[in-house]
Amino acid sequence: MKTILAENVLIKGNWEKDQVLKIKEGVITHIEALSDSQKQREEISERVSKRLIPGYVDTQVNGGGGVMFNHAPTFKSIEIMAKAHRKFGTTTLFPTLITDDIATIESAANAVSEAIESGHPSVEGIHFEGPHLSVEKKGVHLSKYIRPLTDRELATYTRKDLGKVLITVAPENTSCDVIRDLVNQGVIVALGHSNAPFDVVERAIEAGATGFTHLYNAMSPFTSREPGMVGAALLGNNTCGIIVDHQHLHPKAVELAFKTKGPSQLMLVTDAMAHVGADEDVIDFFDTHITRVGNKLTTPDGTLAGSCLDMHGAVINCVNDIGISLEDASYMASATPSAFMGINETLGSIAVGQRANFVELSEDNALANVWQNGEVCV
């Protein structure tokens, strides 16, 4: 049993002072104010003078630590990626495979299955971003791999040894019957990389799609006569991932999304490439390469190629540049993605029964320490 005395803890959206947290086998078993537990003063294992917020949950991680998951879809790659992102407060992530061939999809599934079976503390499932997308809105996804969903892919997506499975599809390339079948088999379906009109998107939502992948980016825009996917995402009762790196979106676009959706339906994602946690600025990407200049990643033709954003950076950008409170930004980085992925009973907040995953912040919101399962890891 470990007992932590924390001077400031974010619990249910409020800052609570001088809280005693008891942790057993990485799980919070008890929380109470110090004034109610004076007798435990001698039992305190650690004192935390800085502020504790929940560990971050990132549902879109393509790479990290110099590794791209597509290029090396192995358990070793997952370990490297998780270690790289943990330094920035991400205690839970979903390795993300972008559009690729079926062999790579199956290898990625096997790698995540191995991570789940081994009890890797960061991995709760997998995100397949494609290949069932729109060529018109493909971004850096390779058009030669974009295709409709087949039985072989369906068999992979519906495996029961992968934890939570998220798949991004374009509704014009994936029928409502297929979406309905995926959802009925426990797959979480998000819409993205799509040029679909509003009514097609609405039918996909009715079929069971519950999320949108990187709001605004690579989707049919909102216009006066055609609300597009952006309009459906902003109007609907769904969860939207959003990349707040100041490269993908204008700050006012983020502000509009926040005012429309609120913190419980807008989740921070990184869409991180291998550059996060790596010194290299140029990293191979399929038959080309991605170059980091400042905080921007592009291919040689200038196409925006994911991000070098980390989750703590996303939180700080929200607070400093969008005017979102730290409490709401924290919610968007932890509770909202946990609820969207259906893991909120054990992750995403600081509460009894939750894993002891924390981000420790200084008064100026700098990241001081990261806790995973009750242990400091940074």
Side-chain angles (χ1 to χ4, degrees):
M1 176 78 72
K2 174 177 285 188
T3 304
I4 298 173
L5 172 59
E7 290 187 6
N8 290 283
V9 188
L10 188 60
I11 300 175
K12 296 182 179 179
N14 297 309
W15 291 103
E16 304 292 347
K17 294 186 69 64
D18 296 329
Q19 297 294 302
V20 176
L21 285 67
K22 291 186 177 181
I23 300 168
K24 184 177 182 180
E25 296 178 353
V27 175
I28 302 170
T29 61
H30 195 79
I31 302 176
E32 65 178 351
L34 179 64
S35 58
D36 296 328
S37 56
Q38 295 295 322
K39 62 183 180 180
Q40 297 175 8
R41 280 186 179 275
E42 301 303 320
E43 301 173 14
I44 300 297
S45 306
E46 295 193 46
R47 285 177 167 79
V48 179
S49 60
K50 299 177 177 64
R51 297 176 295 170
L52 289 182
I53 63 174
Y56 304 141
V57 179
D58 192 350
T59 63
Q60 193 171 2
V61 182
N62 310 298
V67 170
M68 281 294 296
F69 193 40
N70 278 73
H71 294 174
T74 65
F75 177 51
K76 180 63 176 177
S77 292
I78 292 174
E79 289 183 308
I80 294 170
M81 291 161 57
K83 182 178 180 181
H85 284 272
R86 191 166 52 233
K87 295 176 182 178
F88 303 102
T90 298
T91 51
T92 303
L93 57 78
F94 290 79
T96 302
L97 190 81
I98 69 170
T99 295
D100 215 317
D101 58 31
I102 185 61
T104 304
I105 288 174
E106 291 172 341
S107 294
N110 291 336
V112 169
S113 174
E114 185 178 351
I116 296 288
E117 185 178 3
S118 71
H120 193 288
S122 294
V123 180
E124 291 294 318
I126 187 170
H127 181 177
F128 295 102
E129 188 187 356
H132 322 298
L133 307 176
S134 159
V135 172
E136 291 80 7
K137 293 291 185 180
K138 67 181 180 62
V140 296
H141 293 240
L142 298 186
S143 57
K144 69 179 181 179
Y145 292 131
I146 291 176
R147 59 194 184 274
L149 195 152
T150 69
D151 288 343
R152 185 171 171 184
E153 289 144 354
L154 179 64
T156 301
Y157 303 152
T158 55
R159 284 172 53 169
K160 302 307 178 185
D161 59 342
L162 303 181
K164 297 292 184 177
V165 176
L166 169 63
I167 178 171
T168 296
V169 302
E172 67 268 44
N173 200 12
T174 311
S175 72
C176 288
D177 286 341
V178 170
I179 292 173
R180 195 172 291 111
D181 186 22
L182 286 165
V183 172
N184 287 340
Q185 295 196 60
V187 177
I188 301 160
V189 176
L191 306 177
H193 283 279
S194 167
N195 208 32
F198 181 86
D199 62 330
V200 172
V201 180
E202 285 287 278
R203 288 196 292 271
I205 294 171
E206 291 171 2
T210 54
F212 289 87
T213 295
H214 44 55
L215 178 64
Y216 297 114
N217 296 114
M219 59 177 61
S220 48
F222 181 94
T223 66
S224 59
R225 294 181 177 85
E226 171 50 62
M229 181 169 280
V230 170
L234 291 175
L235 287 170
N237 182 26
N238 47 63
T239 303
C240 298
I242 194 163
I243 308 168
V244 188
D245 63 348
H246 299 339
Q247 304 297 332
H248 283 76
L249 301 172
H250 191 285
K252 289 299 179 181
V254 180
E255 181 181 341
L256 173 63
F258 179 76
K259 289 181 176 179
T260 305
K261 304 295 293 183
S264 64
Q265 291 190 341
L266 199 62
M267 67 179 181
L268 299 179
V269 299
T270 62
D271 196 18
M273 295 301 204
H275 301 70
V276 173
D279 294 329
E280 301 95 329
D281 288 326
V282 180
I283 291 180
D284 290 339
F285 181 74
F286 290 97
D287 57 355
T288 184
H289 58 270
I290 297 173
T291 301
R292 171 170 51 192
V293 177
N295 294 320
K296 187 175 184 179
L297 299 184
T298 57
T299 55
D301 64 0
T303 301
L304 196 61
S307 86
C308 51
L309 179 69
D310 59 76
M311 281 294 278
H312 188 64
V315 168
I316 295 305
N317 287 343
C318 285
V319 174
N320 291 349
D321 304 324
I322 314 298
I324 297 172
S325 69
L326 175 61
E327 294 83 357
D328 283 342
S330 169
Y331 201 91
M332 294 159 60
S334 54
T336 301
S338 292
F340 175 61
M341 295 304 298
I343 56 175
N344 51 313
E345 289 189 3
T346 57
L347 289 162
S349 62
I350 299 177
V352 172
Q354 294 269 308
R355 287 193 213 160
N357 290 351
F358 316 128
V359 175
E360 188 178 337
L361 302 179
S362 63
E363 286 301 316
D364 62 356
N365 292 333
L367 193 154
N369 281 309
V370 179
W371 298 63
Q372 189 172 55
N373 292 345
E375 301 294 335
V376 175
C377 49
V378 173

